[in-house]
Amino acid sequence: MKNSFLRELSLIRHNGLYMACLVGFPLLVMIFFTSLMAEGQPVDMPVGVVDLDNSSTSRKIVRSLDAFQNTHIAGSYSDVAAAREAMQKGEIYAFIYFPRDCATNMIAGRQPGISFYYTMSFLSAGSLLLSDLKTIATLGYAGVAKAKMQAMGVPESQIMPLLQPIKVELHRVGNPGTDYNAYLSPMLVPGVMLLFIFIFTAYSIGLELKFGRSKEWLDTAGGNIFVALTGKMLPQTILSMTMMFLYLIYIYGVMGFPHEGGWAVIFLLGALTVMAAEGFGIFMFSLLPHVRMSMSVCSLWAVLSFSMVGTAFPVMAMDPALKSLAWLFPLRHYFVIYQTSVFNGFPLTDCWQHVACLFAFALLPLPLMGRLKKAMTEGEYME
């Protein structure tokens, strides 16, 4: 194993692609995603106004809307058609519409309609702006109703129970600030890192076949494919785990992402995820001992992982066939363990099936060791 290990270190030293794929690109991904969402959630998203009422009430509502963190009043439009065209062009994400005599009808109790339109082409922007628009419409009505009741002589102590008979208290557990960085980065960055590990594991083994070095590689381990593979993967494992641990320390230790489970669980999850990804890459090349084909399958599997992980659309709501298929993606198991034991602090026994699946992915190449050795000794490189 020592000879295989030293040989791999020499290859890493002379081939810059190793450091680029296992260190450089993951580092760029870490910086990109964590800085992209550094604000926590989108702020000052452009919103338009169509104010045909032009009353002090409508102007007050617009100023209050502009004061919201997520919303920025980007412009006023003469009619709904002009505002809709601006939204279709991407100049604004939403607009609010006040009809003529809106304030007068509101004071008279004739229930005027305040309309708001928002785009759901951008899911996050649309959802956040819908919340702001609904809130400001409710507050606007409450303000007018309160002024009207005060003018009628209703005591202050009776006004709020009439306007808000049930007081709602909202408690966001785990992520009270709705921080998109803390929500998405713990999944996105490891997912991209797994993509690099999948592809590069298959690529690095395929290089031995491509350059006719496979028999030389086996000779360093006395013809034992398991020893040769262990020695070859050990430097890559050290590099990948180092990058994974650095990322975990950065997001949980420096950025302060929620981590109720403690550092032991965090590091165990990081190590298991790296080994599972390498196991999958070795398995794919052993199954398909063709560099281009194995790399293509690895990249396809990694990209599909982002859909099957369950952050954008919950796995429990998927079709039964897709729900079963989700078990075949290492990133899915990583995310469930993160969600259960790191984020919420429950013991690993509550998600032992997913821990076992990561171990299974790491051991996946073992049944195909003979096939891999045959490919290395008898196979020929194909473009």
Side-chain angles (χ1 to χ4, degrees):
M1 184 186 298
K2 179 182 177 181
N3 292 334
S4 298
F5 177 79
L6 294 175
R7 178 179 178 274
E8 189 68 14
L9 285 179
S10 177
L11 291 175
I12 292 175
R13 190 168 62 251
H14 292 94
N15 189 342
L17 197 58
Y18 277 79
M19 296 302 292
C21 291
L22 298 178
V23 177
F25 293 151
L27 192 60
L28 288 175
V29 169
M30 295 177 200
I31 296 171
F32 174 76
F33 279 111
T34 53
S35 60
L36 177 69
M37 297 178 285
E39 296 291 336
Q41 58 178 249
V43 295
D44 289 337
M45 291 179 286
V47 173
V49 176
V50 179
D51 188 2
L52 301 184
D53 185 43
N54 198 26
S55 63
S56 60
T57 301
S58 63
R59 291 194 295 271
K60 182 179 179 180
I61 292 175
V62 170
R63 287 194 299 271
S64 299
L65 179 61
D66 192 34
F68 283 10
Q69 180 182 6
N70 298 328
T71 307
H72 168 63
I73 302 300
S76 298
Y77 300 90
S78 58
D79 52 38
V80 171
R84 180 177 178 178
E85 183 180 354
M87 189 164 67
Q88 289 173 332
K89 289 180 178 179
E91 297 173 0
I92 56 175
Y93 290 139
F95 66 89
I96 187 168
Y97 167 66
F98 298 93
R100 298 184 188 279
D101 301 322
C102 177
T104 302
N105 291 331
M106 194 182 298
I107 294 172
R110 288 194 285 267
Q111 290 186 305
I114 296 177
S115 304
F116 39 85
Y117 301 80
Y118 59 98
T119 177
M120 288 304 288
S121 301
F122 308 96
L123 188 60
S124 297
S127 301
L128 291 171
L129 289 176
L130 171 61
S131 175
D132 283 1
L133 291 167
K134 287 174 67 176
T135 300
I136 201 63
T138 304
L139 292 176
Y141 160 76
V144 172
K146 182 178 180 180
K148 183 178 178 181
M149 290 181 184
Q150 287 173 335
M152 294 170 60
V154 179
E156 184 78 23
S157 59
Q158 298 180 14
I159 292 177
M160 287 311 296
L162 290 171
L163 293 177
Q164 191 180 17
I166 298 176
K167 184 179 180 181
V168 178
E169 290 188 3
L170 178 63
H171 301 278
R172 295 186 178 95
V173 179
N175 191 2
T178 319
D179 189 339
Y180 275 68
N181 202 2
Y183 169 64
L184 290 174
S185 289
M187 181 277 296
L188 284 175
V189 177
V192 178
M193 293 176 71
L194 260 61
L195 168 65
F196 290 131
I197 296 171
F198 280 175
I199 296 175
F200 199 76
T201 299
Y203 172 75
S204 64
I205 300 173
L207 282 183
E208 305 291 353
L209 201 59
K210 178 178 181 179
F211 294 112
R213 304 187 308 229
S214 54
K215 293 181 181 179
E216 173 199 329
W217 171 42
L218 287 174
D219 288 340
T220 61
N224 189 319
I225 185 63
F226 179 78
V227 173
L229 191 60
T230 304
K232 181 176 186 62
M233 293 307 303
L234 191 55
Q236 297 182 39
T237 305
I238 293 171
L239 286 174
S240 296
M241 281 193 181
T242 300
M243 297 308 298
M244 179 66 79
F245 291 161
L246 283 176
Y247 175 67
L248 295 175
I249 292 170
Y250 176 60
I251 61 172
Y252 297 120
V254 178
M255 301 192 71
F257 287 5
H259 56 289
E260 297 295 327
W263 287 102
V265 176
I266 290 172
F267 287 135
L268 176 62
L269 177 58
L272 277 178
T273 304
V274 170
M275 290 190 293
E278 291 181 344
F280 184 85
I282 297 169
F283 171 79
M284 273 303 160
F285 186 84
S286 302
L287 188 66
L288 304 168
H290 184 281
V291 180
R292 184 177 299 173
M293 183 63 70
S294 59
M295 289 177 64
S296 297
V297 174
C298 285
S299 61
L300 173 64
W301 214 251
V303 171
L304 287 176
S305 298
F306 292 103
S307 298
M308 303 303 297
V309 70
T311 51
F313 190 84
V315 172
M316 65 182 69
M318 292 181 181
D319 184 83
L322 293 176
K323 198 183 301 185
S324 301
L325 187 64
W327 287 84
L328 302 180
F329 294 86
L331 186 61
R332 168 61 183 166
H333 303 295
Y334 163 86
F335 182 71
V336 173
I337 298 170
Y338 155 75
Q339 201 174 40
T340 305
S341 297
V342 176
F343 187 79
N344 290 308
F346 292 107
L348 284 172
T349 51
D350 286 5
C351 53
W352 67 267
Q353 303 99 321
H354 299 279
V355 176
C357 285
L358 288 182
F359 273 110
F361 274 108
L363 301 175
L364 201 58
L366 291 181
L368 297 180
M369 286 292 97
R371 180 179 175 85
L372 178 60
K373 182 176 182 179
K374 184 178 180 180
M376 292 293 106
T377 54
E378 302 177 11
E380 293 183 2
Y381 176 75
M382 296 181 291
E383 289 288 349

